[in-house]
Amino acid sequence: MLRIKCPFCGERDHSEFSYGGDGSIVYPALDAPMQDWVEAVFQRENIRGMQTETWQHVNGCRTWLLVERDTMTHEIRSVRAAHPGVAKALEGSS
Amino acid sequence: MTRFSAWNVFRNGLTGQKGWSRQWRDPEPKKHYDVVVIGAGLHGLATAYYLAKNHSVRNVAVVEKGWLGGGNAGRNTTIVRSNYMMPGNREFYEHSLKLWENLSHELNYNVMFSQRAHVSLLHSPAAVDDAARRYNTMRLTDSDGELWDLEKLKHTIPYLNYGPNSRFPIIGAAVQRRAGTARHDAVAWGYARGADQHGVDILQNCEVTGVTRDNDKVVAIETTRGTISAGKVGFAVAGNTSRLWSMAGLGNLPIESHKLQAFVSEPLKPLLDHVVVFGVGGAHFYISQSDKGGMVFGGDIDWYKSYAQRGNLPIVQDVAEAAMSILPCLGRVKLLRHWSGVMDMSMDGSHFICKTPLNNLYLNAGWNYGGFKASPASGWYFADLIANDRPHPVVENHDLQRFERGINIDERGAGPDPKLHG
Ligand SMILES: Cc1cc2nc3c(=O)[nH]c(=O)nc-3n(C[C@H](O)[C@H](O)[C@H](O)COP(=O)(O)OP(=O)(O)OC[C@H]3O[C@@H](n4cnc5c(N)ncnc54)[C@H](O)[C@@H]3O)c2cc1C
Ligand SMILES: [Zn+2]
């Protein structure tokens, strides 16, 4: 069981959370060329090692999180709210 | 190499089993091969076999970092079926099923293919309609499929939970009778033995650590057993595809690596004659009984991306709950072993058998968790691609560019999220 330290609720079992996906994807502008959209929607780096990924605390505060996790060892390095404003508001509070 | 026959079994029974020879050689790597296939899972081994057998390409090596069949090849729940509906997939999987039907003879190796029928439980009129559409489509592709009503299902498999109070009452089933299971290790061993017999070198404990390029051509691969130059190279490394891809300097792929667990119970007396599948309302569960008596079953992937060949506990609970909801008679049965494998989940749930940006590099990947049944056809079409340097019409849309062309071969209609495919 992974344990994810939600900045709002504290450390919880990962079964309270839902995995989103690769958190490093930046979606292009709506009128960006097709190729940029193909890249963002379909292409993945699929890192073996530390990756930034999204999780949602669905059975808790429902905040979307950005988690740095090693995809080989499952070690979690950091957890922060995905929304920069929420992240800032929660800074130092947990 | 001794052929297996009733006579040889009899003769060796009388002569202390001394007359058998090694099933395959353990050769030293040569400096050069016409084709190097990376990954001695089912797909790599089948590819080498069909390269030699169908295309007379014999100066071939299969390069494996561990031991042959030690990856997903030896970790799956061995379900073989061809109930696919999307164009391309249905021809491919039906071809695969036909190859399965003759595989033991083809390889002179008993792969214990058992056509015990694949029974997908249905729980709503909408699911019955959907299954009717899918199974009719299959029949139009020269496959078999039928719908069973509740009476027929109860008669055939009486001990499922038909209770009126179950959360998802069973109302019927979609059945493919020619589907079933096989012995996964035997398939790897049979293809390895067959390929070796045709002169293919299977190089185990030989990890690929680098891919040397000359512009848009691969010239050699670096391995822990030295540099091997190659005329053509094929990747068939399942969950490790992105790693090889980046060794070749090729950037991103429409693939993520996720892990799937499998479970085996203590051996029981014969109980289940079919493969039974339960999938409704977020639950996913499939079960069969091995020839040794163990109940072999599994469910969904672990949900988050991972390269660890190690499963998590919430899935153990999920799968146990699903087991109890359809086969309550298993309640006191002990779990003997469970393990996991790393799979190459693709963006639409379908595979890639295709050319790549490099002229002499070919890709076989994106098997999700359905690549066991695919292995004979996968080797067949991948060998055809490598030998002829063009995709066969059956796999011509199974390339990396299909997404830009607006083609998603998405059996589940789940969209571009690898964890949602099966
Ligand atoms: C738990 C589980 C249950 C499954 N159940 C089913 C099922 O019921 N039905 C079904 O159809 N499918 C099933 N599958 C899927 C199926 O097992 C796979 O899709 C299929 O085995 C993948 O192809 P393969 O056998 O070639 O892969 P693998 O056996 O994984 O072969 C890839 C090989 O590449 C090698 N390799 C990787 N990197 C390198 C390197 N750098 N150098 C050299 N070698 C390398 C690996 O060591 C490995 O041996 C299941 C999978 C799992 C994990
Ligand atoms: Zn929370």
Side-chain angles (χ1 to χ4, degrees):
Chain A
M1 182 79 82
L2 307 180
R3 300 272 290 169
I4 298 177
K5 200 168 166 192
C6 174
F8 191 71
C9 310
E11 190 176 76
R12 302 293 175 84
D13 287 353
H14 87 256
S15 49
E16 284 190 12
F17 298 79
S18 179
Y19 179 70
D22 188 333
S24 69
I25 300 164
V26 182
Y27 287 99
L30 283 178
D31 57 356
M34 234 275 279
Q35 196 51 46
D36 295 2
W37 275 101
V38 170
E39 281 289 317
V41 175
F42 296 107
Q43 297 288 89
R44 294 290 178 269
E45 197 179 345
N46 197 17
I47 297 170
R48 191 181 90 163
M50 211 42 96
Q51 83 162 8
T52 305
E53 57 197 25
T54 55
W55 288 79
Q56 190 187 14
H57 197 183
V58 279
N59 291 334
C61 62
R62 302 196 65 82
T63 307
W64 275 97
L65 306 170
L66 279 175
V67 177
E68 271 185 303
R69 182 182 62 100
D70 191 309
T71 59
M72 185 65 201
T73 64
H74 295 175
E75 176 207 336
I76 292 175
R77 186 195 279 164
S78 74
V79 184
R80 65 183 190 280
H83 189 287
V86 178
K88 194 151 197 301
L90 289 173
E91 233 163 62
S93 69
S94 64
Chain B
M1 217 259 332
T2 333
R3 267 186 76 76
F4 292 114
S5 63
W7 164 244
N8 269 332
V9 169
F10 178 70
R11 191 169 56 98
N12 278 285
L14 296 178
T15 54
Q17 307 293 349
K18 297 265 164 54
W20 302 110
S21 51
R22 278 187 74 112
Q23 298 292 299
W24 50 80
R25 297 162 298 128
D26 186 18
E28 281 304 310
K30 290 192 242 167
K31 289 263 167 303
H32 175 85
Y33 291 93
D34 295 341
V35 178
V36 172
V37 178
I38 304 176
L42 299 164
H43 295 230
L45 293 166
T47 302
Y49 175 79
Y50 291 114
L51 271 172
K53 163 102 197 302
N54 295 356
H55 305 282
S56 302
V57 182
R58 297 215 163 81
N59 185 19
V60 176
V62 184
V63 176
E64 167 57 48
K65 74 173 172 191
W67 65 94
L68 69 87
N72 294 343
R75 292 164 193 265
N76 62 75
T77 43
T78 79
I79 299 171
V80 175
R81 56 184 169 87
S82 73
N83 55 352
Y84 285 71
M85 192 176 75
M86 302 299 287
N89 277 0
R90 58 184 200 239
E91 292 82 359
F92 176 89
Y93 283 103
E94 180 51 29
H95 185 183
S96 207
L97 186 51
K98 292 202 165 77
L99 291 170
W100 276 107
E101 287 175 325
N102 193 41
L103 200 57
S104 293
H105 290 284
E106 165 82 27
L107 298 174
N108 177 237
Y109 204 91
N110 186 2
V111 300
M112 298 163 88
F113 181 47
S114 152
Q115 293 179 290
R116 58 183 66 183
H118 178 271
V119 180
S120 297
L121 304 179
L122 302 171
H123 308 267
S124 68
V128 174
D129 289 349
D130 186 52
R133 176 169 175 243
R134 174 174 297 264
Y135 282 61
N136 277 328
T137 310
M138 285 153 54
R139 290 165 73 128
L140 293 174
T141 317
D142 201 16
S143 185
D144 72 307
E146 56 197 75
L147 294 181
W148 286 1
D149 60 18
L150 189 56
E151 205 181 323
K152 163 105 181 154
L153 183 62
K154 275 185 174 168
H155 178 76
T156 317
I157 315 179
Y159 38 79
L160 298 178
N161 179 8
Y162 297 104
N165 308 330
S166 58
R167 173 69 183 80
F168 296 105
I170 299 168
I171 65 166
V175 179
Q176 187 176 30
R177 283 184 191 264
R178 287 161 61 242
T181 59
R183 169 88 199 273
H184 51 9
D185 296 325
V187 184
W189 299 334
Y191 272 122
R193 175 171 171 271
D196 177 90
Q197 225 171 334
H198 281 109
V200 171
D201 282 359
I202 299 167
L203 308 172
Q204 302 182 74
N205 297 312
C206 183
E207 178 168 0
V208 174
T209 53
V211 176
T212 311
R213 277 170 60 173
D214 178 8
N215 293 315
D216 45 14
K217 207 171 168 285
V218 176
V219 286
I221 55 164
E222 304 302 324
T223 78
T224 47
R225 294 175 71 181
T227 304
I228 300 173
S229 83
K232 294 178 176 181
V233 175
F235 287 170
V237 291
N240 283 295
T241 304
S242 296
R243 301 190 65 219
L244 266 293
W245 199 248
S246 74
M247 283 180 204
L250 291 171
N252 295 354
L253 275 176
I255 289 176
E256 276 185 11
S257 297
H258 286 256
K259 63 193 155 79
L260 177 70
Q261 305 191 42
F263 306 83
V264 172
S265 78
E266 59 187 326
L268 306 177
K269 291 207 166 155
L271 166 69
L272 192 60
D273 292 336
H274 306 85
V275 177
V276 173
V277 183
F278 167 60
V280 66
H284 188 198
F285 178 75
Y286 34 90
I287 187 163
S288 66
Q289 186 169 20
S290 80
D291 291 350
K292 283 194 284 187
M295 305 305 293
V296 180
F297 52 96
D300 270 322
I301 55 175
D302 274 13
W303 198 246
Y304 49 81
K305 213 196 94 179
S306 173
Y307 280 90
Q309 289 184 111
R310 181 174 82 236
N312 71 28
L313 290 172
I315 290 288
V316 180
Q317 184 175 349
D318 266 18
V319 168
E321 283 170 355
M324 284 306 289
S325 64
I326 65 151
L327 277 163
C329 59
L330 294 183
R332 309 192 71 118
V333 171
K334 290 195 185 90
L335 193 61
L336 202 61
R337 294 182 290 136
H338 68 117
W339 61 87
S340 107
V342 182
M343 285 148 324
D344 34 341
M345 303 295 291
S346 72
M347 280 291 165
D348 59 359
S350 289
H351 51 275
F352 305 100
I353 293 183
C354 61
K355 298 177 69 154
T356 70
L358 305 183
N359 292 334
N360 60 343
L361 176 69
Y362 304 87
L363 180 67
N364 175 311
W367 294 102
N368 297 268
Y369 47 103
F372 176 67
K373 68 179 86 67
S375 33
S378 170
W380 200 97
Y381 286 102
F382 197 41
D384 176 79
L385 170 73
I386 295 173
N388 298 314
D389 192 40
R390 56 98 193 95
H392 189 282
V394 164
V395 293
E396 67 187 352
N397 274 326
H398 288 80
D399 63 346
L400 292 166
Q401 285 78 37
R402 64 176 177 256
F403 305 109
E404 354 184 331
R405 293 200 302 278
I407 294 173
N408 281 261
I409 310 173
D410 187 343
E411 293 279 340
R412 274 197 181 176
D417 189 346
K419 67 177 180 294
L420 301 181
H421 298 289

